[in-house]
Amino acid sequence: MTEAAVAVLVTLDSKDEEARFVCDALFGAGVRPWLVDLSLRPHTIGGAAVTGRRMAEAAGSSWEAIAEMDRARAAETMIEGGKKILLEKFRSGGLSGAIGVGGANGSSMACSLMRALPPLFPKAMVSPVAATAAVQWYVAESDIAMFPSIGDISMNRITRAVMENAARSVAAMARAYSPEKGVAGRAPPLVGVSSFGGTAACVERVSEALIARGFEVILFHASGPGGRALESLASLGELAGVVDLTTHELADLAVDGVYSAGEGRLRAAGEAGLPQVVVPGALDHANFWVGSVPERFRERRFFQYNAQNLLMRTSAGEFEALGRMVAQRLNAAKGPFAVLIPMRGYSEHTKRMAHDLSGAEAGPWAQLEADREFAASLRKHLHKGRIEEMDLHINDPEFADACARVFFELMDAEA
Amino acid sequence: MTEAAVAVLVTLDSKDEEARFVCDALFGAGVRPWLVDLSLRPHTIGGAAVTGRRMAEAAGSSWEAIAEMDRARAAETMIEGGKKILLEKFRSGGLSGAIGVGGANGSSMACSLMRALPPLFPKAMVSPVAATAAVQWYVAESDIAMFPSIGDISMNRITRAVMENAARSVAAMARAYSPEKGVAGRAPPLVGVSSFGGTAACVERVSEALIARGFEVILFHASGPGGRALESLASLGELAGVVDLTTHELADLAVDGVYSAGEGRLRAAGEAGLPQVVVPGALDHANFWVGSVPERFRERRFFQYNAQNLLMRTSAGEFEALGRMVAQRLNAAKGPFAVLIPMRGYSEHTKRMAHDLSGAEAGPWAQLEADREFAASLRKHLHKGRIEEMDLHINDPEFADACARVFFELMDAEA
């Protein structure tokens, strides 16, 4: 039996049998359960290590006040209090894992709490909505392992076996867990690199250069969760530096495309004072699902990448906005940075033809004039740091070499 | 060390280091790895227990022919061969778990293979797309546990730790796995019940009656994955009967709404010869995401259920189609069935007012005239079985009691 406990996150008023079952399964697998009650309404079922009352009070509210709130507001308050209690227990070394069990609302609450715990800390959620699009919000940039409950959460042989499997999994992870696992500062230093199909040649060559120089590399795929994970790890102190070759998700942020990583993109590394090289990689397009292009963009140029993904060519006006957006973020950076701009094209797609929404050819994807608006806008709005415009394509080996060289210079200057 | 092995599903040509790492982690956790190579192109990396050549040949193709195919066709062929090999190994008792590691394409292939294995068989996927809407297709109605890799799959301290966590999880599940776990036929018999918010009172009362009668109950939430899981478990022989109180997903199938469970809905129980009670529960609406109602439905009546879900009132014409759809499926049933129709309303929403897309009130949700088209169409097209039209609302206790009574009659007649 390990000393540190595994948190069991469940609404005791509707799922007390399931809660006891999971606690027993954890105990049987050699870890101590620590039952956290997520109920939003008063009840008389015992057994919680952390009661609803305690969570309400940790949020500066009371169990009686919670009972009066509508459910959304009550859930929000309980999550606020629960986060404090979980993080305190974690920081004191008393927690080695967490498992949630619940329906749609229970999953939403339990996942909110687990997202507050650091990456690599063992987390699992047993849920009937594990295989739905809602994981974008439930899991987001975190590393919660989602276990589909097959049926709704209730005591039958199928769901019981799933809960048992998930409990065994968390127990196995928890027994091996040590909080030092992911901590930065140990050699080799870890460098984050943003990646994408259209910038792959650059990403690969830069990664090789980083590894040859003694760095470890973690790639973040620029389709939303990747950028969020990059920001999250940077702010948690897991990264030594960032080579942001594929700032692509900002184009989706600007036009509300499907690959946005949210408002937080390109902020955390600067905030954490990390050295960063920034490149407008794949900023030449945003993403929509086929058949779902908003009305206002129907006259634009596109390239259909596969059965699901439609790429929309970034316009000169949007590049002006993106230059401003990048400048604002980098102006706030506390660490050294350089922006490298490949003037012959921001992605591999420059080698293709564009088409309109009907599929008719609409001229070359490459529009170097429009691309230049990015550099012009950035120069206008950026108050510090370096900008290098290079007469190269992003996937030219010389451009990758320049990115690596500048990154090493920034790192050496820091050391 | 257990006898049965854990399959490791990975493209060896791009991820040989990761494959070896996961195999070592499994070995360290007390299970034998069994490496299945998903590469689509010839290579010279050794170590696979199941080579690409063997998978190609199991599909009646050859390694040389695969190399000539485009990647989509090659993947399809390898999946076909891989399924045969995995199922053969599983049926011989040689397999106790499976773990996949891969990017978007690798996840698609590995999950396709794992979906062929039965529910409760331990399955895990380490993937950078674990927290995206794509899990709808990757996991679907299966119970694959998705582990987000945080970064792209490569050898760095973060992704390595995630792979280690997933390997430990699968090993813990695999060591405890016995193929008899979910098998039907053991007392108490398991009954599947389809459920939804709008039919909750009926579902709850029927469940209580079933449990009181000595059955075990598994609920399937009628939002797509639930209906698919119901069909899957019925066809796998896990269920003794079905009380299909919430055939709701057929309304989404009919109008291409977001909660469709696909063409397979309401087929497997009949095909398996199971006794079933069928009710048009929540057939009075289909679901769209707020802001995404197709052009052709913009003049219809709606009810906004929460921030995401917009319910569209089913029309008389759609009920005619649904009656035909249900009749066609039940005409093919090999087991006994009865359709019970609550003529005073198919869901709790009959107690609300409808609104148009602008939010303006648009009369009562209840439209008993339109609802009656379902019964009329069903009578016209159904060639066998029983139809009972009852002067009750679906959530009246008497209606639930009738559903339970008829189900027990069908079960008793079978016994």
Side-chain angles (χ1 to χ4, degrees):
Chain A
M1 195 69 38
T2 55
E3 255 325 286
V6 170
V8 179
L9 310 172
V10 63
T11 52
L12 212 47
D13 57 351
S14 66
K15 302 204 161 44
D16 62 321
E17 243 191 302
E18 292 82 353
R20 265 180 285 128
F21 180 83
V22 169
C23 288
D24 288 349
L26 287 171
F27 201 84
V31 295
R32 283 189 309 116
W34 189 63
L35 182 55
V36 178
D37 179 17
L38 307 183
S39 307
L40 299 180
R41 298 290 178 254
H43 60 79
T44 56
I45 299 158
V50 179
T51 60
R53 179 177 299 281
R54 190 169 146 208
M55 285 173 58
E57 285 168 5
S61 182
S62 73
W63 195 222
E64 290 72 24
I66 294 280
E68 300 293 312
M69 296 177 189
D70 67 60
R71 298 186 74 87
R73 178 87 194 89
E76 221 173 275
T77 310
M78 296 295 273
I79 288 166
E80 189 192 329
K83 274 184 190 171
K84 284 187 192 161
I85 293 169
L86 279 176
L87 281 173
E88 188 185 315
K89 177 94 168 165
F90 167 74
R91 290 192 185 116
S92 73
L95 215 54
S96 61
I99 179 170
V101 175
N105 291 327
S107 297
S108 172
M109 283 185 75
C111 286
S112 288
L113 290 172
M114 288 194 276
R115 284 200 306 274
L117 293 161
L120 305 183
F121 178 85
K123 312 170 189 77
M125 181 77 220
V126 180
S127 168
V129 294
T132 70
V135 295
Q136 294 169 82
W137 306 292
Y138 291 161
V139 179
E141 71 275 19
S142 83
D143 58 346
I144 301 169
M146 295 297 282
F147 285 73
S149 58
I150 306 183
D152 285 1
I153 304 293
S154 70
M155 292 298 281
N156 60 70
R157 74 192 67 173
I158 304 282
T159 310
R160 216 157 44 213
V162 173
M163 291 191 284
E164 218 165 14
N165 268 342
R168 283 199 186 100
S169 296
V170 175
M173 294 190 273
R175 286 198 311 268
Y177 179 69
S178 75
E180 292 73 33
K181 201 174 255 177
V183 168
R186 296 168 311 169
L190 183 62
V191 176
V193 177
S194 50
S195 73
F196 217 48
T199 59
C202 182
V203 168
E204 198 167 316
R205 195 170 169 97
V206 168
S207 297
E208 282 166 12
L210 286 164
I211 290 166
R213 185 80 166 221
F215 292 101
E216 214 174 66
V217 173
I218 180 165
L219 302 181
F220 300 99
H221 196 251
S223 50
R228 288 181 195 268
L230 189 168
E231 301 296 323
S232 164
L233 290 188
S235 67
L236 287 165
E238 297 282 349
L239 302 180
V242 174
V243 187
D244 214 336
L245 297 177
T246 319
T247 43
H248 173 68
E249 288 147 326
L250 294 174
D252 282 72
L253 176 62
V255 302
D256 208 13
V258 295
Y259 277 4
S260 168
E263 266 295 335
R265 189 70 177 86
L266 197 62
R267 292 188 193 275
E271 177 62 30
L274 301 180
Q276 51 182 334
V277 165
V278 177
V279 174
L283 270 191
D284 58 358
H285 63 278
N287 302 268
F288 293 103
W289 302 128
V290 169
S292 301
V293 173
E295 203 53 42
R296 65 188 183 284
F297 295 135
R298 301 194 66 84
E299 300 305 316
R300 299 284 294 272
R301 294 188 189 183
F302 297 89
F303 175 74
Q304 185 166 343
Y305 187 63
N306 58 29
Q308 288 84 39
N309 289 72
L310 197 61
L311 318 185
M312 181 177 81
R313 192 31 160 116
T314 306
S315 69
E318 283 154 2
F319 270 126
E320 202 282 325
L322 285 166
R324 208 165 353 109
M325 195 187 267
V326 169
Q328 281 165 352
R329 283 162 163 74
L330 293 179
N331 282 335
K334 295 174 184 158
F337 66 85
V339 185
L340 270 63
I341 305 180
M343 302 304 286
R344 295 200 164 272
Y346 297 168
S347 82
E348 195 66 13
H349 303 306
T350 50
K351 293 159 191 175
R352 309 179 190 274
M353 296 301 284
H355 56 74
D356 65 19
L357 261 195
S358 76
E361 213 174 86
W365 181 270
Q367 297 179 35
L368 302 187
E369 282 298 323
D371 294 359
R372 268 196 280 275
E373 284 301 314
F374 174 76
S377 169
L378 184 71
R379 284 208 181 278
K380 186 165 150 199
H381 298 288
L382 192 68
H383 306 319
K384 59 180 187 178
R386 253 161 89 181
I387 303 178
E388 283 191 38
E389 291 170 63
M390 310 187 74
D391 189 27
L392 293 168
H393 186 275
I394 191 167
N395 287 329
D396 286 338
E398 297 82 359
F399 185 75
D401 294 346
C403 291
R405 178 178 39 77
V406 172
F407 181 71
F408 297 147
E409 287 169 16
L410 295 176
M411 290 297 285
D412 290 347
E414 283 295 281
Chain B
M1 194 69 39
T2 55
E3 255 324 286
V6 170
V8 179
L9 310 172
V10 63
T11 52
L12 211 47
D13 57 351
S14 66
K15 303 205 161 43
D16 62 321
E17 242 191 303
E18 291 82 353
R20 266 180 283 128
F21 180 83
V22 169
C23 288
D24 288 348
L26 287 170
F27 201 84
V31 295
R32 283 189 309 116
W34 189 63
L35 182 55
V36 178
D37 179 17
L38 307 183
S39 307
L40 299 180
R41 297 291 178 252
H43 61 79
T44 56
I45 299 158
V50 179
T51 59
R53 178 176 299 280
R54 190 169 145 208
M55 286 175 55
E57 285 168 5
S61 182
S62 73
W63 195 221
E64 290 72 24
I66 294 279
E68 300 294 311
M69 296 176 189
D70 67 61
R71 297 185 75 87
R73 179 85 194 90
E76 221 172 274
T77 310
M78 296 295 273
I79 288 166
E80 188 193 328
K83 275 184 190 170
K84 284 186 192 163
I85 293 169
L86 279 176
L87 281 172
E88 189 184 314
K89 177 95 169 166
F90 167 73
R91 290 192 184 117
S92 74
L95 216 54
S96 61
I99 179 170
V101 175
N105 291 327
S107 297
S108 172
M109 283 186 77
C111 286
S112 288
L113 289 173
M114 287 194 276
R115 284 200 307 275
L117 293 161
L120 305 183
F121 178 86
K123 314 171 189 74
M125 182 77 221
V126 179
S127 168
V129 294
T132 70
V135 295
Q136 295 169 82
W137 306 291
Y138 291 161
V139 179
E141 70 276 19
S142 83
D143 58 345
I144 301 169
M146 295 295 283
F147 285 74
S149 57
I150 306 182
D152 285 1
I153 305 292
S154 70
M155 292 298 282
N156 60 71
R157 73 191 67 173
I158 304 281
T159 310
R160 216 157 44 212
V162 173
M163 291 192 284
E164 219 165 14
N165 268 343
R168 282 198 186 101
S169 296
V170 174
M173 295 190 272
R175 285 198 311 268
Y177 179 70
S178 75
E180 292 73 34
K181 202 173 255 176
V183 168
R186 296 168 312 169
L190 183 63
V191 176
V193 177
S194 50
S195 73
F196 217 48
T199 59
C202 182
V203 168
E204 198 167 315
R205 195 168 168 97
V206 168
S207 298
E208 282 166 12
L210 287 165
I211 289 165
R213 184 81 166 221
F215 292 101
E216 213 173 67
V217 173
I218 180 165
L219 302 181
F220 299 99
H221 197 251
S223 49
R228 289 180 194 269
L230 189 169
E231 302 296 324
S232 164
L233 290 188
S235 67
L236 287 165
E238 297 282 348
L239 302 181
V242 174
V243 188
D244 214 336
L245 297 177
T246 319
T247 43
H248 173 67
E249 287 147 326
L250 294 174
D252 282 72
L253 176 62
V255 303
D256 208 14
V258 294
Y259 277 4
S260 168
E263 267 294 335
R265 189 69 177 87
L266 197 60
R267 293 188 193 274
E271 177 61 30
L274 301 180
Q276 51 182 334
V277 165
V278 176
V279 174
L283 270 190
D284 58 358
H285 63 278
N287 302 268
F288 293 103
W289 302 128
V290 170
S292 300
V293 174
E295 202 54 41
R296 65 188 182 284
F297 296 135
R298 301 193 67 83
E299 300 306 317
R300 299 286 294 272
R301 294 188 190 184
F302 298 89
F303 175 73
Q304 186 166 342
Y305 187 64
N306 59 28
Q308 288 84 39
N309 289 73
L310 197 60
L311 318 185
M312 181 177 81
R313 192 32 160 116
T314 305
S315 69
E318 283 154 3
F319 270 127
E320 202 281 325
L322 285 165
R324 207 165 354 107
M325 196 187 266
V326 169
Q328 281 165 352
R329 284 162 162 74
L330 293 179
N331 282 335
K334 294 174 184 159
F337 66 85
V339 185
L340 270 64
I341 305 180
M343 302 304 286
R344 295 199 163 273
Y346 298 168
S347 82
E348 194 66 13
H349 302 306
T350 50
K351 294 159 191 174
R352 309 178 189 274
M353 297 301 284
H355 56 74
D356 65 18
L357 262 195
S358 76
E361 213 175 86
W365 181 270
Q367 297 178 34
L368 302 187
E369 282 298 324
D371 294 0
R372 267 196 279 277
E373 285 300 315
F374 174 75
S377 169
L378 185 70
R379 284 208 181 278
K380 187 165 149 199
H381 298 289
L382 192 68
H383 305 319
K384 58 180 186 179
R386 253 160 89 181
I387 304 178
E388 283 191 39
E389 291 170 63
M390 309 187 74
D391 189 27
L392 293 167
H393 186 275
I394 191 166
N395 287 329
D396 286 339
E398 297 82 358
F399 185 75
D401 294 345
C403 291
R405 177 177 41 75
V406 172
F407 181 71
F408 297 148
E409 287 169 16
L410 295 177
M411 290 298 285
D412 290 347
E414 284 295 282

